[in-house]
Short mmCIF file of all heavy atoms in Angstrom, two decimals:
data_model
loop_
_atom_site.label_atom_id
_atom_site.label_comp_id
_atom_site.label_asym_id
_atom_site.label_seq_id
_atom_site.Cartn_x
_atom_site.Cartn_y
_atom_site.Cartn_z
N MET A 1 -1.07 -12.61 -2.27
CA MET A 1 -1.03 -13.28 -1.00
C MET A 1 -2.48 -13.70 -0.62
O MET A 1 -3.33 -12.89 -0.61
CB MET A 1 -0.48 -12.21 0.13
CG MET A 1 -0.40 -12.89 1.39
SD MET A 1 0.44 -11.71 2.62
CE MET A 1 0.17 -12.77 4.02
N THR A 2 -2.40 -14.96 -0.21
CA THR A 2 -3.73 -15.48 0.18
C THR A 2 -3.92 -15.56 1.71
O THR A 2 -3.09 -16.24 2.38
CB THR A 2 -4.00 -16.84 -0.52
OG1 THR A 2 -2.94 -17.67 -0.05
CG2 THR A 2 -4.09 -16.83 -1.98
N TYR A 3 -4.85 -14.87 2.28
CA TYR A 3 -5.09 -14.93 3.72
C TYR A 3 -6.50 -15.33 4.00
O TYR A 3 -7.06 -14.97 5.02
CB TYR A 3 -4.65 -13.61 4.36
CG TYR A 3 -5.30 -12.37 3.76
CD1 TYR A 3 -6.50 -11.95 4.32
CD2 TYR A 3 -4.74 -11.67 2.66
CE1 TYR A 3 -7.09 -10.69 3.80
CE2 TYR A 3 -5.36 -10.62 2.20
CZ TYR A 3 -6.51 -10.07 2.80
OH TYR A 3 -7.13 -9.01 2.27
N ASP A 4 -7.18 -15.94 2.97
CA ASP A 4 -8.57 -16.27 3.18
C ASP A 4 -8.76 -17.34 4.34
O ASP A 4 -9.75 -17.32 5.04
CB ASP A 4 -9.12 -16.87 1.85
CG ASP A 4 -9.17 -15.88 0.68
OD1 ASP A 4 -9.06 -14.75 1.09
OD2 ASP A 4 -9.11 -16.30 -0.39
N ARG A 5 -7.78 -18.19 4.48
CA ARG A 5 -7.93 -19.23 5.41
C ARG A 5 -7.14 -19.09 6.70
O ARG A 5 -7.08 -19.91 7.59
CB ARG A 5 -7.43 -20.65 4.84
CG ARG A 5 -8.58 -21.25 4.05
CD ARG A 5 -8.00 -22.48 3.31
NE ARG A 5 -7.93 -22.22 1.91
CZ ARG A 5 -7.25 -23.06 0.94
NH1 ARG A 5 -6.63 -24.09 1.42
NH2 ARG A 5 -7.18 -22.66 -0.31
N LEU A 6 -6.73 -17.84 6.86
CA LEU A 6 -5.94 -17.43 8.02
C LEU A 6 -6.84 -17.26 9.27
O LEU A 6 -7.83 -16.69 9.26
CB LEU A 6 -5.13 -16.14 7.70
CG LEU A 6 -3.95 -15.81 8.77
CD1 LEU A 6 -2.76 -16.74 8.40
CD2 LEU A 6 -3.52 -14.47 8.61
N VAL A 7 -6.45 -18.01 10.34
CA VAL A 7 -7.31 -18.02 11.50
C VAL A 7 -6.75 -17.14 12.55
O VAL A 7 -5.54 -17.05 12.74
CB VAL A 7 -7.40 -19.46 12.05
CG1 VAL A 7 -8.24 -19.39 13.45
CG2 VAL A 7 -8.06 -20.35 11.09
N CYS A 8 -7.59 -16.23 13.17
CA CYS A 8 -7.12 -15.39 14.18
C CYS A 8 -6.79 -15.94 15.41
O CYS A 8 -7.37 -16.97 15.87
CB CYS A 8 -8.33 -14.36 14.47
SG CYS A 8 -7.88 -13.18 15.78
N ALA A 9 -5.63 -15.50 16.10
CA ALA A 9 -5.23 -16.07 17.31
C ALA A 9 -6.07 -15.62 18.50
O ALA A 9 -6.01 -16.24 19.65
CB ALA A 9 -3.71 -15.80 17.55
N ASN A 10 -6.77 -14.64 18.24
CA ASN A 10 -7.48 -13.93 19.40
C ASN A 10 -8.97 -14.63 19.56
O ASN A 10 -9.45 -14.96 20.64
CB ASN A 10 -7.63 -12.50 19.22
CG ASN A 10 -8.31 -11.75 20.47
OD1 ASN A 10 -7.88 -12.09 21.60
ND2 ASN A 10 -9.20 -10.94 20.16
N CYS A 11 -9.64 -14.82 18.35
CA CYS A 11 -11.07 -15.33 18.47
C CYS A 11 -11.20 -16.63 17.68
O CYS A 11 -12.21 -17.17 17.65
CB CYS A 11 -11.90 -14.18 17.80
SG CYS A 11 -11.65 -13.87 16.07
N ALA A 12 -10.05 -17.18 17.05
CA ALA A 12 -10.11 -18.46 16.47
C ALA A 12 -11.09 -18.43 15.28
O ALA A 12 -11.45 -19.59 14.85
CB ALA A 12 -10.39 -19.50 17.33
N ALA A 13 -11.39 -17.37 14.74
CA ALA A 13 -12.27 -17.28 13.48
C ALA A 13 -11.49 -16.84 12.37
O ALA A 13 -10.43 -16.19 12.64
CB ALA A 13 -13.50 -16.28 13.79
N PRO A 14 -11.89 -17.07 11.18
CA PRO A 14 -11.20 -16.55 9.94
C PRO A 14 -11.07 -15.01 10.05
O PRO A 14 -11.98 -14.34 10.35
CB PRO A 14 -12.06 -16.99 8.78
CG PRO A 14 -12.93 -18.15 9.24
CD PRO A 14 -13.08 -17.92 10.75
N VAL A 15 -9.78 -14.57 9.70
CA VAL A 15 -9.42 -13.22 9.90
C VAL A 15 -10.31 -12.34 8.95
O VAL A 15 -10.67 -11.21 9.24
CB VAL A 15 -7.97 -12.93 9.58
CG1 VAL A 15 -7.61 -11.46 9.44
CG2 VAL A 15 -7.14 -13.64 10.71
N THR A 16 -10.65 -12.92 7.80
CA THR A 16 -11.36 -12.23 6.74
C THR A 16 -12.83 -11.79 7.37
O THR A 16 -13.45 -10.89 6.76
CB THR A 16 -11.63 -13.03 5.48
OG1 THR A 16 -11.95 -14.33 5.81
CG2 THR A 16 -10.23 -13.09 4.77
N GLU A 17 -13.38 -12.54 8.36
CA GLU A 17 -14.65 -12.23 8.80
C GLU A 17 -14.55 -10.93 9.69
O GLU A 17 -15.58 -10.19 9.95
CB GLU A 17 -15.11 -13.43 9.53
CG GLU A 17 -15.48 -14.53 8.75
CD GLU A 17 -16.13 -15.68 9.56
OE1 GLU A 17 -16.63 -15.46 10.69
OE2 GLU A 17 -16.29 -16.82 8.91
N GLY A 18 -13.43 -10.61 10.23
CA GLY A 18 -13.29 -9.47 11.06
C GLY A 18 -14.20 -9.47 12.30
O GLY A 18 -14.80 -8.48 12.59
N ARG A 19 -14.17 -10.50 13.07
CA ARG A 19 -15.09 -10.60 14.21
C ARG A 19 -14.56 -9.80 15.40
O ARG A 19 -15.36 -9.33 16.26
CB ARG A 19 -15.27 -12.10 14.64
CG ARG A 19 -16.02 -12.84 13.69
CD ARG A 19 -16.34 -14.32 14.14
NE ARG A 19 -16.95 -15.07 13.23
CZ ARG A 19 -17.37 -16.26 13.45
NH1 ARG A 19 -17.17 -16.77 14.60
NH2 ARG A 19 -18.15 -17.02 12.54
N CYS A 20 -13.17 -9.61 15.45
CA CYS A 20 -12.66 -8.91 16.66
C CYS A 20 -11.65 -7.82 16.12
O CYS A 20 -11.30 -7.88 14.95
CB CYS A 20 -11.98 -9.85 17.59
SG CYS A 20 -10.35 -10.42 17.06
N PRO A 21 -11.37 -6.90 17.02
CA PRO A 21 -10.44 -5.81 16.57
C PRO A 21 -9.13 -6.39 16.00
O PRO A 21 -8.47 -5.77 15.11
CB PRO A 21 -10.23 -5.01 17.81
CG PRO A 21 -11.42 -5.22 18.60
CD PRO A 21 -11.80 -6.64 18.34
N VAL A 22 -8.58 -7.49 16.58
CA VAL A 22 -7.35 -8.08 16.12
C VAL A 22 -7.49 -8.52 14.70
O VAL A 22 -6.59 -8.28 13.85
CB VAL A 22 -6.93 -9.23 17.11
CG1 VAL A 22 -5.71 -9.96 16.50
CG2 VAL A 22 -6.73 -8.77 18.43
N CYS A 23 -8.59 -9.10 14.33
CA CYS A 23 -8.97 -9.54 13.02
C CYS A 23 -8.87 -8.42 12.03
O CYS A 23 -8.32 -8.42 10.99
CB CYS A 23 -10.33 -10.20 12.93
SG CYS A 23 -10.41 -11.92 13.66
N ARG A 24 -9.61 -7.36 12.37
CA ARG A 24 -9.74 -6.28 11.52
C ARG A 24 -8.47 -5.52 11.33
O ARG A 24 -8.13 -5.09 10.21
CB ARG A 24 -10.76 -5.19 12.11
CG ARG A 24 -12.19 -5.76 11.95
CD ARG A 24 -13.21 -4.67 12.27
NE ARG A 24 -13.38 -4.42 13.69
CZ ARG A 24 -14.23 -5.12 14.55
NH1 ARG A 24 -14.93 -6.04 14.01
NH2 ARG A 24 -14.21 -4.88 15.81
N ALA A 25 -7.62 -5.48 12.41
CA ALA A 25 -6.26 -4.85 12.29
C ALA A 25 -5.39 -5.63 11.30
O ALA A 25 -4.74 -4.99 10.45
CB ALA A 25 -5.63 -4.78 13.67
N SER A 26 -5.24 -6.89 11.54
CA SER A 26 -4.43 -7.71 10.61
C SER A 26 -4.91 -7.73 9.23
O SER A 26 -4.22 -7.77 8.27
CB SER A 26 -4.28 -9.10 11.25
OG SER A 26 -5.59 -9.72 11.51
N ARG A 27 -6.21 -7.68 9.10
CA ARG A 27 -6.76 -7.68 7.73
C ARG A 27 -6.43 -6.38 7.07
O ARG A 27 -6.11 -6.42 5.78
CB ARG A 27 -8.38 -7.77 7.86
CG ARG A 27 -8.98 -8.08 6.54
CD ARG A 27 -10.60 -8.34 6.70
NE ARG A 27 -11.20 -7.27 7.40
CZ ARG A 27 -12.47 -7.13 7.41
NH1 ARG A 27 -13.27 -8.10 7.15
NH2 ARG A 27 -12.96 -6.13 8.18
N GLU A 28 -6.54 -5.33 7.73
CA GLU A 28 -6.18 -3.97 7.12
C GLU A 28 -4.71 -3.96 6.66
O GLU A 28 -4.28 -3.60 5.71
CB GLU A 28 -6.34 -2.93 8.14
CG GLU A 28 -7.69 -2.20 8.09
CD GLU A 28 -8.18 -1.83 6.70
OE1 GLU A 28 -7.61 -1.08 6.02
OE2 GLU A 28 -9.19 -2.42 6.25
N ARG A 29 -3.86 -4.50 7.70
CA ARG A 29 -2.40 -4.53 7.41
C ARG A 29 -2.08 -5.41 6.17
O ARG A 29 -1.30 -5.03 5.35
CB ARG A 29 -1.72 -5.07 8.71
CG ARG A 29 -0.25 -4.82 8.71
CD ARG A 29 0.30 -4.99 10.11
NE ARG A 29 0.21 -6.46 10.47
CZ ARG A 29 -0.42 -6.89 11.56
NH1 ARG A 29 -0.88 -5.98 12.44
NH2 ARG A 29 -0.60 -8.18 11.88
N MET A 30 -2.69 -6.56 6.00
CA MET A 30 -2.39 -7.34 4.99
C MET A 30 -2.86 -6.85 3.63
O MET A 30 -2.22 -6.94 2.55
CB MET A 30 -3.00 -8.88 5.13
CG MET A 30 -2.20 -9.59 6.14
SD MET A 30 -2.88 -11.28 6.30
CE MET A 30 -4.33 -10.99 7.33
N ARG A 31 -3.89 -6.13 3.69
CA ARG A 31 -4.56 -5.51 2.46
C ARG A 31 -3.58 -4.44 1.92
O ARG A 31 -3.27 -4.36 0.74
CB ARG A 31 -5.86 -4.91 2.81
CG ARG A 31 -6.58 -4.48 1.54
CD ARG A 31 -7.94 -3.74 1.87
NE ARG A 31 -8.87 -4.72 2.51
CZ ARG A 31 -9.74 -4.27 3.32
NH1 ARG A 31 -9.92 -2.91 3.63
NH2 ARG A 31 -10.63 -5.03 3.85
N GLU A 32 -2.98 -3.64 3.00
CA GLU A 32 -2.12 -2.66 2.62
C GLU A 32 -0.79 -3.17 1.96
O GLU A 32 -0.26 -2.69 1.08
CB GLU A 32 -1.73 -1.80 3.85
CG GLU A 32 -2.85 -0.76 4.26
CD GLU A 32 -2.51 -0.25 5.58
OE1 GLU A 32 -1.43 -0.30 6.10
OE2 GLU A 32 -3.54 0.40 6.15
N GLN A 33 -0.33 -4.36 2.55
CA GLN A 33 0.94 -4.92 2.14
C GLN A 33 0.72 -5.49 0.74
O GLN A 33 1.65 -5.49 -0.04
CB GLN A 33 1.31 -6.03 2.98
CG GLN A 33 2.04 -5.58 4.33
CD GLN A 33 2.26 -6.63 5.34
OE1 GLN A 33 1.91 -7.72 5.11
NE2 GLN A 33 3.03 -6.31 6.35
N GLY A 34 -0.47 -5.97 0.50
CA GLY A 34 -0.73 -6.62 -0.87
C GLY A 34 -0.87 -5.64 -1.96
O GLY A 34 -0.53 -5.93 -3.13
N GLN A 35 -1.14 -4.48 -1.64
CA GLN A 35 -1.37 -3.35 -2.68
C GLN A 35 -0.02 -2.84 -3.08
O GLN A 35 0.11 -2.18 -4.12
CB GLN A 35 -2.16 -2.35 -2.14
CG GLN A 35 -3.66 -2.83 -2.24
CD GLN A 35 -4.71 -1.65 -1.74
OE1 GLN A 35 -4.20 -0.76 -1.08
NE2 GLN A 35 -5.90 -1.81 -2.06
N GLY A 36 1.05 -2.83 -2.28
CA GLY A 36 2.36 -2.27 -2.61
C GLY A 36 2.51 -0.82 -2.20
O GLY A 36 1.55 -0.25 -1.79
N PRO A 37 3.66 -0.35 -2.32
CA PRO A 37 4.04 1.08 -1.70
C PRO A 37 3.26 2.12 -2.58
O PRO A 37 3.04 3.28 -1.98
CB PRO A 37 5.50 1.19 -1.85
CG PRO A 37 5.83 0.16 -2.94
CD PRO A 37 4.86 -0.92 -2.87
N PHE A 38 2.91 1.93 -3.85
CA PHE A 38 2.29 3.00 -4.63
C PHE A 38 0.75 2.86 -4.81
O PHE A 38 0.15 3.63 -5.51
CB PHE A 38 2.82 2.99 -6.07
CG PHE A 38 4.35 3.34 -6.05
CD1 PHE A 38 5.31 2.37 -6.36
CD2 PHE A 38 4.81 4.55 -5.72
CE1 PHE A 38 6.64 2.67 -6.28
CE2 PHE A 38 6.14 4.91 -5.70
CZ PHE A 38 7.02 3.87 -5.96
N ALA A 39 0.14 1.97 -3.91
CA ALA A 39 -1.25 1.74 -4.08
C ALA A 39 -2.02 2.96 -3.61
O ALA A 39 -3.05 3.21 -4.04
CB ALA A 39 -1.59 0.48 -3.26
N GLY A 40 -1.48 3.63 -2.60
CA GLY A 40 -2.16 4.74 -2.07
C GLY A 40 -2.20 5.98 -2.98
O GLY A 40 -2.88 6.97 -2.74
N LEU A 41 -1.23 6.01 -3.94
CA LEU A 41 -1.13 7.13 -4.84
C LEU A 41 -2.03 6.95 -6.07
O LEU A 41 -2.03 5.87 -6.64
CB LEU A 41 0.31 7.25 -5.28
CG LEU A 41 1.36 7.71 -4.17
CD1 LEU A 41 2.78 7.61 -4.69
CD2 LEU A 41 1.13 9.14 -3.69
N SER A 42 -2.62 7.97 -6.46
CA SER A 42 -3.50 7.87 -7.62
C SER A 42 -2.62 8.09 -8.86
O SER A 42 -1.51 8.68 -8.75
CB SER A 42 -4.48 9.10 -7.60
OG SER A 42 -3.85 10.29 -7.59
N PRO A 43 -3.02 7.67 -10.15
CA PRO A 43 -2.32 7.81 -11.28
C PRO A 43 -1.89 9.23 -11.59
O PRO A 43 -0.84 9.62 -12.11
CB PRO A 43 -3.22 7.25 -12.49
CG PRO A 43 -4.12 6.33 -11.61
CD PRO A 43 -4.29 6.91 -10.25
N VAL A 44 -2.85 10.28 -11.23
CA VAL A 44 -2.63 11.61 -11.41
C VAL A 44 -1.43 12.07 -10.56
O VAL A 44 -0.54 12.81 -11.03
CB VAL A 44 -3.81 12.43 -11.10
CG1 VAL A 44 -3.65 13.94 -11.21
CG2 VAL A 44 -5.02 12.02 -11.99
N MET A 45 -1.40 11.56 -9.26
CA MET A 45 -0.25 11.90 -8.38
C MET A 45 0.95 11.46 -8.90
O MET A 45 1.97 12.07 -8.82
CB MET A 45 -0.67 11.30 -6.99
CG MET A 45 0.17 11.82 -5.92
SD MET A 45 -0.15 13.64 -5.49
CE MET A 45 1.06 13.77 -4.15
N LEU A 46 0.92 10.21 -9.42
CA LEU A 46 2.20 9.63 -9.97
C LEU A 46 2.71 10.53 -11.18
O LEU A 46 3.91 10.78 -11.29
CB LEU A 46 1.98 8.24 -10.43
CG LEU A 46 1.87 7.18 -9.22
CD1 LEU A 46 1.44 5.79 -9.76
CD2 LEU A 46 3.23 7.02 -8.59
N ALA A 47 1.78 10.87 -12.09
CA ALA A 47 2.14 11.63 -13.13
C ALA A 47 2.79 13.02 -12.79
O ALA A 47 3.76 13.48 -13.36
CB ALA A 47 0.92 11.89 -14.03
N ALA A 48 2.13 13.62 -11.73
CA ALA A 48 2.60 14.91 -11.20
C ALA A 48 4.03 14.74 -10.76
O ALA A 48 4.87 15.58 -10.92
CB ALA A 48 1.72 15.52 -10.11
N LEU A 49 4.35 13.61 -9.93
CA LEU A 49 5.53 13.37 -9.42
C LEU A 49 6.59 13.16 -10.49
O LEU A 49 7.74 13.59 -10.41
CB LEU A 49 5.54 12.16 -8.51
CG LEU A 49 4.97 12.43 -7.07
CD1 LEU A 49 4.74 10.92 -6.43
CD2 LEU A 49 5.87 13.17 -6.28
N LEU A 50 6.19 12.42 -11.52
CA LEU A 50 7.17 12.31 -12.63
C LEU A 50 7.43 13.53 -13.32
O LEU A 50 8.68 13.80 -13.70
CB LEU A 50 6.38 11.27 -13.65
CG LEU A 50 7.30 10.79 -14.70
CD1 LEU A 50 8.20 9.60 -14.00
CD2 LEU A 50 6.51 10.10 -15.83
N VAL A 51 6.55 14.43 -13.52
CA VAL A 51 6.82 15.75 -14.14
C VAL A 51 7.78 16.62 -13.27
O VAL A 51 8.72 17.17 -13.82
CB VAL A 51 5.47 16.59 -14.40
CG1 VAL A 51 5.64 17.93 -14.66
CG2 VAL A 51 4.65 15.85 -15.43
N VAL A 52 7.48 16.51 -11.94
CA VAL A 52 8.37 17.25 -10.97
C VAL A 52 9.81 16.67 -11.05
O VAL A 52 10.78 17.37 -11.17
CB VAL A 52 7.87 17.13 -9.60
CG1 VAL A 52 8.87 17.67 -8.59
CG2 VAL A 52 6.57 18.03 -9.39
N PHE A 53 9.86 15.33 -11.13
CA PHE A 53 11.24 14.74 -11.10
C PHE A 53 11.99 15.00 -12.43
O PHE A 53 13.18 15.37 -12.41
CB PHE A 53 10.90 13.18 -11.09
CG PHE A 53 12.24 12.41 -11.15
CD1 PHE A 53 13.13 12.32 -10.24
CD2 PHE A 53 12.53 11.67 -12.33
CE1 PHE A 53 14.37 11.65 -10.31
CE2 PHE A 53 13.73 10.98 -12.46
CZ PHE A 53 14.60 10.90 -11.36
N LEU A 54 11.20 15.06 -13.56
CA LEU A 54 11.84 15.33 -14.88
C LEU A 54 12.34 16.81 -14.89
O LEU A 54 13.39 17.14 -15.45
CB LEU A 54 10.80 14.94 -15.98
CG LEU A 54 10.71 13.57 -16.30
CD1 LEU A 54 9.63 13.31 -17.35
CD2 LEU A 54 12.00 12.92 -16.81
N GLY A 55 11.46 17.70 -14.37
CA GLY A 55 11.77 19.04 -14.25
C GLY A 55 13.03 19.29 -13.45
O GLY A 55 13.96 20.00 -13.85
N ALA A 56 13.22 18.68 -12.34
CA ALA A 56 14.43 18.81 -11.48
C ALA A 56 15.55 18.26 -12.27
O ALA A 56 16.68 18.88 -12.20
CB ALA A 56 14.17 18.02 -10.16
N LEU A 57 15.43 17.23 -12.99
CA LEU A 57 16.48 16.56 -13.66
C LEU A 57 16.94 17.53 -14.77
O LEU A 57 18.14 17.70 -14.97
CB LEU A 57 16.01 15.22 -14.35
CG LEU A 57 17.07 14.15 -14.48
CD1 LEU A 57 17.47 13.55 -13.20
CD2 LEU A 57 16.57 12.99 -15.32
N ALA A 58 16.09 18.13 -15.49
CA ALA A 58 16.42 19.04 -16.57
C ALA A 58 17.03 20.29 -15.99
O ALA A 58 18.05 20.71 -16.53
CB ALA A 58 15.10 19.49 -17.34
N LEU A 59 16.60 20.69 -14.91
CA LEU A 59 17.25 21.95 -14.28
C LEU A 59 18.67 21.50 -13.86
O LEU A 59 19.67 22.34 -14.02
CB LEU A 59 16.44 22.21 -12.97
CG LEU A 59 16.43 23.69 -12.59
CD1 LEU A 59 15.64 24.60 -13.63
CD2 LEU A 59 15.95 23.85 -11.17
N LEU A 60 18.97 20.41 -13.34
CA LEU A 60 20.19 19.84 -12.91
C LEU A 60 21.00 19.81 -14.06
O LEU A 60 22.31 20.31 -14.03
CB LEU A 60 20.09 18.57 -12.21
CG LEU A 60 21.00 18.36 -11.03
CD1 LEU A 60 20.52 19.09 -9.80
CD2 LEU A 60 21.02 16.84 -10.61
N ALA A 61 20.63 19.20 -15.14
CA ALA A 61 21.52 19.03 -16.37
C ALA A 61 21.81 20.42 -16.91
O ALA A 61 22.96 20.64 -17.37
CB ALA A 61 20.68 18.25 -17.37
N HIS A 62 20.86 21.32 -16.85
CA HIS A 62 21.20 22.65 -17.38
C HIS A 62 22.34 23.45 -16.64
O HIS A 62 23.02 24.15 -17.16
CB HIS A 62 19.88 23.55 -17.36
CG HIS A 62 19.94 24.67 -18.11
ND1 HIS A 62 19.93 24.71 -19.45
CD2 HIS A 62 19.99 26.08 -17.76
CE1 HIS A 62 20.01 26.08 -19.90
NE2 HIS A 62 19.95 26.84 -18.84
N GLN A 63 22.22 23.15 -15.23
CA GLN A 63 23.22 23.87 -14.42
C GLN A 63 24.63 23.32 -14.60
O GLN A 63 25.63 24.04 -14.51
CB GLN A 63 22.76 23.68 -12.99
CG GLN A 63 21.66 24.64 -12.59
CD GLN A 63 21.21 24.46 -11.13
OE1 GLN A 63 21.51 23.47 -10.52
NE2 GLN A 63 20.37 25.46 -10.64
N THR A 64 24.74 22.02 -14.81
CA THR A 64 26.06 21.41 -14.90
C THR A 64 26.78 21.59 -16.19
O THR A 64 28.03 21.66 -16.28
CB THR A 64 25.88 19.88 -14.61
OG1 THR A 64 24.93 19.35 -15.39
CG2 THR A 64 25.58 19.59 -13.16
N VAL A 65 25.97 21.75 -17.24
CA VAL A 65 26.58 22.07 -18.67
C VAL A 65 27.02 23.44 -18.75
O VAL A 65 26.49 24.31 -18.13
CB VAL A 65 25.54 21.65 -19.68
CG1 VAL A 65 26.07 22.14 -21.06
CG2 VAL A 65 25.30 20.15 -19.67
ZN1 LIG B 1 -10.04 -12.28 15.73
#
């Protein structure tokens, strides 16, 4: 997503310059959206989640058989 040329409605300056709190807030929000839902998670955290998920799956399969 390109928001380089987006102009703030509050101060009429480019949002990327962050001249006012509105600019900084929208800039933060857009940055979070651009990174996706897993951007805040580290690869190690994702690997740990995967291990936990596989472990639960194995446990479930063991119980049903
Ligand atoms: Zn602004």
Side-chain angles (χ1 to χ4, degrees):
M1 183 179 173
T2 56
Y3 54 94
D4 296 337
R5 273 173 255 169
L6 199 72
V7 175
C8 177
N10 190 45
C11 65
V15 170
T16 47
E17 289 185 15
R19 289 188 184 180
C20 74
V22 177
C23 285
R24 286 191 284 271
S26 51
R27 194 174 53 175
E28 270 314 299
R29 197 167 57 237
M30 280 183 288
R31 190 183 299 154
E32 285 168 15
Q33 284 175 352
Q35 285 180 339
F38 296 109
L41 292 172
S42 65
V44 176
M45 190 70 179
L46 281 174
L49 280 172
L50 194 71
V51 168
V52 169
F53 177 72
L54 287 175
L57 211 71
L59 210 73
L60 214 74
H62 193 71
Q63 282 177 348
T64 48
V65 170

